[in-house]
Amino acid sequence: MGTEILVDMEAQITQQSPPAPIFNKPNCPVTLKFEDILYKIKIEHGGLFLKKKSKSQEKLILKGITGIVLPGEMLAMLGPSGSGKTTLLTALGGRLGGGGRLTGAITYNDKPFSTAMKRNTGFVTQDDILYPHLTVTETLVYTALLRLPKTLTKEQKAQHAEAVLTQLGLSRCRDSIIGGGLLRGISGGERKRVSIGQEMLINPSLLFLDEPTSGLDSTTAQRIVSTLWELANGGRTIVMTIHQPSSRLFYMFHKVLLLSEGSVLYFGKGSNALNYFSSVGFAPSVAMNPADFLLDLANGISTDDSEEDQTTIKQTLVCAYKDNLLESVKLEVGSGHNNQLHESIDDDKQLKRWSNTWWQQFHVLFRRGIKERKHESFSGLKIAQVLVIAILCGLLWWQSDINHIQDQVGLLFFYNGFWGFYPLFNAIFTFPQERVMLAKERSSGMYRLSSYFMALTLGDLPMELVLPTVFFTICYWMAGLKHTPGAFFSGLFVLLYSVLCTQGLGLAIGAVVMDMKSATTLGSVIMLAFLLACGFYVQHVPGFISWIKYVSVIQYSYKLSLLSQYKAGETYACGDMNCVVEDSPLIKAVGGLDGLGISVIAMAVMLVGYRLIAYIALMRIGVTKSTKLK
C-alpha cells in the first residue's frame, strides 16, 4: 500500500522539471549564544546494596564555556574523548537529558529554546539511525510526510524530499536500500548524507551534527564537510563535533572550539589557532596537521622537549585562554547580531505542537511499519519453521479421534504452548530494537506516541496472524480434530485470540525491560510458569501457588480450545465402557467444560492490559524535554 503511493508520487515528480535547490536560504537566520555553561552530574558511591552514607559527589563535565556562532558560520568542536564535546552539543541543541544540572545561558536570537526554535533546528546523531529495508527515496519521503506541515500536500512533501535528495548528491542511489549489519546497502558516506537530508527537509536555520565524519575515509569526509560548508554559506548556523579532521577539513571551519576535560583551550577562527598557540609558547616543531597539534595540546602533550607534565600543560593553556581570549569572546557574545525569528513562527502560543494530525501520522507510520517489518515477519526461515512443525504435528497426531482423548488434549495443549512462546519472543524484541529510532524521531517532534503505538499494533496484526492461521489449518485437518465448521473456526479464533494476548505480554516485557537478553530471560520464566500451572502437567497444584493459573494466558486459551472441541455429554471409549468427556481427569484439571465467559473476559483484560502497560512504559523514553538552565 505504501509502495504504490510512493511510486505515484515519484511519477508525478519525474514528469515535472528537475527540482531546483529550494533550500539555498533558511527560513530565518539564527545567532546561537552560550555563556558560562556549566554542567554537573552526581556520582553515587558504593554498589546496589552497599551505599556510602556520605553525600554523593558532583562531577563537573562542562566548566564555564562561552561562545557565539553567527548565521553563515560553521563551528567545529574539537577535543579528545571525554572532553565534553557531545555533552555541550546536546545542551546547545536542547536535548540534554539525564539527572545533571545545567547552568548558564543558551539563547537563540537572544531568546530561550522554544517550540518555534525546535521547528527550525536539525540534529544529526553520530550513529545513522535509519530503517535498513527502506530505500533512500522512501526514507526521505516518509520523513517529509511526518515532519513537514499539513498545509503541504503529499505531492509537495515528496517534491521537498526530491529536492533534498538532489541537493545532497543522492540521485544515483535513490532506489537502493539503506542496509545495515548483514544487509548490503548504500555506503557509509551516502548513509550519512541521508541522515543529514532528513534534517534538511525542515529547512533548518540551526543544524547540529555529532561526529558527521566518524568512520568515513578522508575523501568521503571531505564531501560531507564540503556539503555542510555550502549549507552554512546559505545562511545557516552549523555546529558540529569532530574528532580528528584532516588539514583540508580544518581550514573549512569558520570557528573552532577546543575542549579539554570540560575546559576551553581555544575559541575563535580556525585560521588563527596556530598563531594564538605560538603566541602563548606552544608552537609545532614540525609542519603538521593543525587539528593533530590542537588535539595533542588538549591531551597535555607539547611538541617541544619540555619536561612539564600533562596536567601542568592543560592548566597553563586554560589560564592562557582566560587571560588572552575570554574577554574578547565575551565582548563578541555581547555585541552579537540579534536576528529575529520570523513573525509567523515566533509566537509559541500560535504554534500547534504537532505538524500533522493524529490520523496523518498514523497513516504514514502504518505504511512505513508494514514495509519495514514484513521482511522480518515473513522471512523464509520463520515460514519454514512454522510449516515444518505444523506438518510434524499433523503426522504425529494423524487422524486421531475422540476415543484417543488424551492424545487430542495433548495436541491442544501443545499448540497453545507453542503459540504462547512464538509470538511472545517475536514481540519482546520489538521495542528494544525500535528504542533508538523512537527516541530520535520523538525528540524531533515527528509524531505522537499514541499514533506510533497504534500504527505498530495494528500494522503487526496481519503479519502476526497469518502464520498461526496457516499452522492451525494444516494441523487441524491432518490431526483429525472435529470435522465441523463451528469447531474449526472457534478453535482458530481461540488460537488467534491467544496469539494477540501473548504478543501483548511480549510487548509489555520488552517495553518495561528494554534489554533483549534480560527481557528474553524474564519472558521465558513467565511463560514456563504459565505452562506448568495450567493443569496439564500437574493436576493437583498446591493452593498456595495455584493463583498463577488465574493470570496465565495459556490456562484460558487451553480451556477455550477444549470447549471448541468437546461438549458436555459427549462420550469416549475408556476401557470396556464409555465415559463422558467432562469426567476425564484432563478436563477436570482445568475446571471442566464451563467458564466460557470468564475465560473470554479474562483474555480480553490481558489483551488490553498488557498493551496499556507497554504504552505507559514507552512514555518514559523518546521525548527529550527542552534543556532547562538553572
Side-chain angles (χ1 to χ4, degrees), residues 511-569:
V512 171
V513 178
M514 277 297 175
D515 177 79
M516 287 189 282
K517 289 185 178 180
S518 301
T520 301
T521 302
L522 179 60
S524 300
V525 172
I526 292 175
M527 192 55 64
L528 286 173
F530 287 173
L531 278 172
L532 293 174
C534 68
F536 183 81
Y537 292 117
V538 184
Q539 298 179 12
H540 303 287
V541 181
F544 64 86
I545 200 172
S546 62
W547 59 269
I548 296 179
K549 66 182 181 181
Y550 297 111
V551 295
S552 169
V553 179
I554 297 180
Q555 157 77 11
Y556 297 110
S557 64
Y558 172 47
K559 184 166 187 174
L560 289 175
S561 296
L562 292 174
L563 291 172
S564 70
Q565 286 297 307
Y566 307 115
K567 305 298 180 184

Side-chain angles (χ1 to χ4, degrees), residues 249-266:
L249 298 186
F250 183 84
Y251 286 112
M252 296 180 70
F253 304 137
H254 300 95
K255 287 181 177 177
V256 170
L257 174 64
L258 181 63
L259 293 174
S260 177
E261 297 179 357
S263 297
V264 182
L265 303 187
Y266 177 77

Side-chain angles (χ1 to χ4, degrees), residues 118-129:
K118 186 175 183 179
R119 293 277 179 90
N120 284 270
T121 301
F123 198 104
V124 180
T125 58
Q126 180 176 353
D127 298 322
D128 300 316
I129 305 170

Side-chain angles (χ1 to χ4, degrees), residues 24 26 57 60 64 79 151 238 253 280 286 303 318 335 411 430 502 523 585 619:
N24 287 332
Q57 294 182 348
L60 198 57
T151 53
I238 295 182
F253 304 137
V280 296
V286 295
T303 56
V318 171
S335 61
L411 173 61
T430 300
T502 52
M619 292 174 68

Side-chain angles (χ1 to χ4, degrees), residues 133 369-386 419 422 426 459-470:
H133 291 97
I370 288 180
K371 184 168 184 61
E372 172 61 28
R373 287 192 294 276
K374 69 180 181 181
H375 300 279
E376 182 178 353
S377 297
F378 292 128
S379 67
L381 188 62
K382 287 187 176 181
I383 294 175
Q385 177 187 9
V386 171
W419 287 106
Y422 191 90
N426 282 341
D460 282 349
L461 286 182
M463 294 183 283
E464 291 294 331
L465 299 182
V466 168
L467 290 181
T469 301
V470 172

Side-chain angles (χ1 to χ4, degrees), residues 248-559:
R248 288 192 302 172
L249 298 186
F250 183 84
Y251 286 112
M252 296 180 70
F253 304 137
H254 300 95
K255 287 181 177 177
V256 170
L257 174 64
L258 181 63
L259 293 174
S260 177
E261 297 179 357
S263 297
V264 182
L265 303 187
Y266 177 77
F267 179 82
K269 294 182 178 180
S271 57
N272 295 339
L274 292 183
N275 291 334
Y276 164 74
F277 285 110
S278 296
S279 68
V280 296
F282 293 89
S285 57
V286 295
M288 62 186 302
N289 179 358
D292 292 340
F293 175 66
L294 266 59
L295 287 172
D296 284 344
L297 293 179
N299 283 301
I301 301 173
S302 177
T303 56
D304 58 20
D305 296 329
S306 173
E307 296 181 356
E308 292 181 295
D309 61 20
Q310 294 181 2
T311 303
T312 303
I313 292 175
K314 293 177 185 177
Q315 291 175 349
T316 301
L317 291 171
V318 171
C319 293
Y321 170 76
K322 292 179 179 178
D323 294 340
N324 297 281
L325 287 180
L326 182 57
E327 194 62 33
S328 62
V329 172
K330 288 184 176 180
L331 287 174
E332 184 183 3
V333 171
S335 61
H337 299 284
N338 297 324
N339 300 293
Q340 296 299 321
L341 286 173
H342 196 275
E343 292 180 359
S344 64
I345 64 171
D346 188 48
D347 187 5
D348 280 357
K349 295 180 181 179
Q350 298 178 358
L351 274 177
K352 293 185 178 180
R353 183 178 179 186
W354 308 106
S355 300
N356 294 282
T357 64
W358 188 95
W359 174 251
Q360 288 172 328
Q361 294 172 2
F362 169 82
H363 191 51
V364 175
L365 291 169
F366 182 83
R367 298 196 328 254
R368 187 183 72 174
I370 288 180
K371 184 168 184 61
E372 172 61 28
R373 287 192 294 276
K374 69 180 181 181
H375 300 279
E376 182 178 353
S377 297
F378 292 128
S379 67
L381 188 62
K382 287 187 176 181
I383 294 175
Q385 177 187 9
V386 171
L387 290 177
V388 169
I389 295 177
I391 294 172
L392 183 61
C393 288
L395 293 174
L396 289 173
W397 277 276
W398 179 260
Q399 297 301 312
S400 62
D401 55 36
I402 194 172
N403 292 321
H404 304 112
I405 189 170
Q406 184 171 353
D407 290 346
Q408 286 195 341
V409 170
L411 173 61
L412 299 179
F413 179 79
F414 169 77
Y415 74 63
N416 274 282
F418 175 74
W419 287 106
F421 275 94
Y422 191 90
L424 176 81
F425 288 113
N426 282 341
I428 274 179
F429 299 140
T430 300
F431 291 129
Q433 291 175 338
E434 289 265 330
R435 180 179 185 174
V436 179
M437 180 66 75
L438 179 62
K440 171 197 169 184
E441 295 184 335
R442 290 271 290 151
S443 63
S444 298
M446 289 179 65
Y447 47 73
R448 301 166 178 84
L449 179 61
S450 57
S451 60
Y452 165 81
F453 190 82
M454 289 300 297
L456 182 142
T457 301
L458 296 181
D460 282 349
L461 286 182
M463 294 183 283
E464 291 294 331
L465 299 182
V466 168
L467 290 181
T469 301
V470 172
F471 174 95
F472 185 80
T473 302
I474 294 173
C475 183
Y476 190 92
W477 299 108
M478 288 183 68
L481 296 177
K482 186 176 288 186
H483 285 60
T484 62
F488 172 78
F489 285 110
S490 61
L492 177 60
F493 170 79
V494 170
L495 179 61
L496 299 183
Y497 198 20
S498 173
V499 166
L500 294 179
C501 290
T502 52
Q503 182 199 30
L505 176 60
L507 293 174
I509 294 173
V512 171
V513 178
M514 277 297 175
D515 177 79
M516 287 189 282
K517 289 185 178 180
S518 301
T520 301
T521 302
L522 179 60
S524 300
V525 172
I526 292 175
M527 192 55 64
L528 286 173
F530 287 173
L531 278 172
L532 293 174
C534 68
F536 183 81
Y537 292 117
V538 184
Q539 298 179 12
H540 303 287
V541 181
F544 64 86
I545 200 172
S546 62
W547 59 269
I548 296 179
K549 66 182 181 181
Y550 297 111
V551 295
S552 169
V553 179
I554 297 180
Q555 157 77 11
Y556 297 110
S557 64
Y558 172 47
K559 184 166 187 174

